[in-house]
């Protein structure tokens, strides 16, 4: 592989990992802004709404360690791609939800996809950037992506929910997920 091709691969890896991580982090923050619209549309109360948030975070937290172990065994890139595909498909399912139970289940599946991506993301960057100085820059970009995602999440969620409808907080993931794939 020549130097230009290697540099291009590094940049694409960084771009894809940061975009995918932004997407999964945004999904933690944007949902909160849409909860009242979801409650009205799906005719649910507080307990159903709690699971919209909790199903995602619980699945993410409980699967992330196992996903890292599986990535070591079956390949980081392969598992990242699988996680991204699961997350993207689950985002479509979330947007298509017509009941709170279906939305809660789809959010749990989305959290599993997020866990797989999150578990593998740093390892992909470490592999793409073996030089410590370059790796530090890549990790800085990765960290900034996470921080920015949480900062703009409520703004994005509010804009999508009030400008379009609550389903768009999930539909926005589909083109980003396809781009990353």
């Amino acid at each position: 592989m020549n130097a230009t091709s290697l540099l291009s691969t590094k940049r694409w890896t960084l771009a894809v990992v940061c975009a995918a991580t932004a997407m999964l982090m945004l999904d933690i923050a944007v949902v909160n802004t849409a909860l009242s619209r979801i409650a009205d549309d799906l005719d649910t109360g507080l307990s159903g709404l709690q699971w919209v948030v909790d199903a995602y975070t619980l699945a993410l937290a409980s699967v992330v360690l196992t996903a890292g172990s599986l990535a070591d065994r079956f390949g980081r890139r392969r598992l990242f791609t699988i996680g991204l595909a699961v997350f993207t498909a689950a985002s479509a399912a979330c947007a298509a939800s017509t009941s709170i139970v279906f939305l809660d289940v789809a959010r749990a599946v989305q959290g599993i996809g997020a866990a797989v991506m999150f578990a593998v993301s740093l390892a992909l960057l470490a592999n793409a950037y073996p030089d410590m100085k370059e790796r530090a820059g890549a990790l800085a970009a990765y960290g900034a992506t996470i921080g920015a995602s949480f900062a703009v999440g409520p703004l994005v969620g509010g804009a999508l929910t009030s400008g379009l409808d609550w389903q768009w907080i999930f539909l926005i993931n589909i083109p980003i997920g396809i781009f990353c794939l």
Side-chain angles (χ1 to χ4, degrees):
M1 191 179 282
N2 64 30
T4 305
S5 178
L6 185 61
L7 182 61
S8 177
T9 301
K10 286 180 178 184
R11 287 182 180 163
W12 274 111
T13 301
L14 180 60
V16 167
V17 167
C18 285
T21 301
M23 187 172 58
L24 71 93
M25 291 299 169
L26 273 171
D27 253 54
I28 295 170
V30 297
V31 170
N32 293 325
T33 61
L35 289 176
S36 64
R37 295 283 293 273
I38 292 170
D40 291 343
D41 198 29
L42 300 182
D43 193 31
T44 190
L46 183 59
S47 65
L49 291 178
Q50 285 174 319
W51 279 107
V52 172
V53 176
D54 293 345
Y56 180 84
T57 53
L58 183 63
L60 193 153
S62 61
V63 174
V64 73
L65 291 176
T66 303
S69 180
L70 289 172
D72 290 340
R73 181 174 217 174
F74 297 111
R76 294 175 183 120
R77 183 176 176 189
R78 176 181 296 157
L79 250 63
F80 186 84
T81 303
I82 291 168
L84 186 55
V86 167
F87 184 89
T88 304
S91 294
C94 288
S97 296
T98 57
S99 74
I100 194 64
V101 173
F102 189 86
L103 178 59
D104 291 342
V105 171
R107 285 286 287 168
V109 173
Q110 196 182 36
I112 291 168
V116 174
M117 287 189 299
F118 194 64
V120 179
S121 59
L122 285 174
L124 288 174
L125 290 179
N127 189 51
Y129 291 91
D131 177 69
M132 292 302 272
K133 186 175 179 182
E134 287 181 333
R135 185 182 300 170
L139 294 179
Y142 179 81
T145 298
I146 292 172
S149 297
F150 279 123
V152 302
L155 295 172
V156 170
L160 290 171
T161 302
S162 62
L164 298 167
D165 206 352
W166 67 266
Q167 290 90 345
W168 284 92
I169 63 173
F170 301 112
L171 289 172
I172 194 74
N173 294 335
I174 297 168
I176 297 168
I178 290 170
F179 164 78
C180 290
L181 283 170

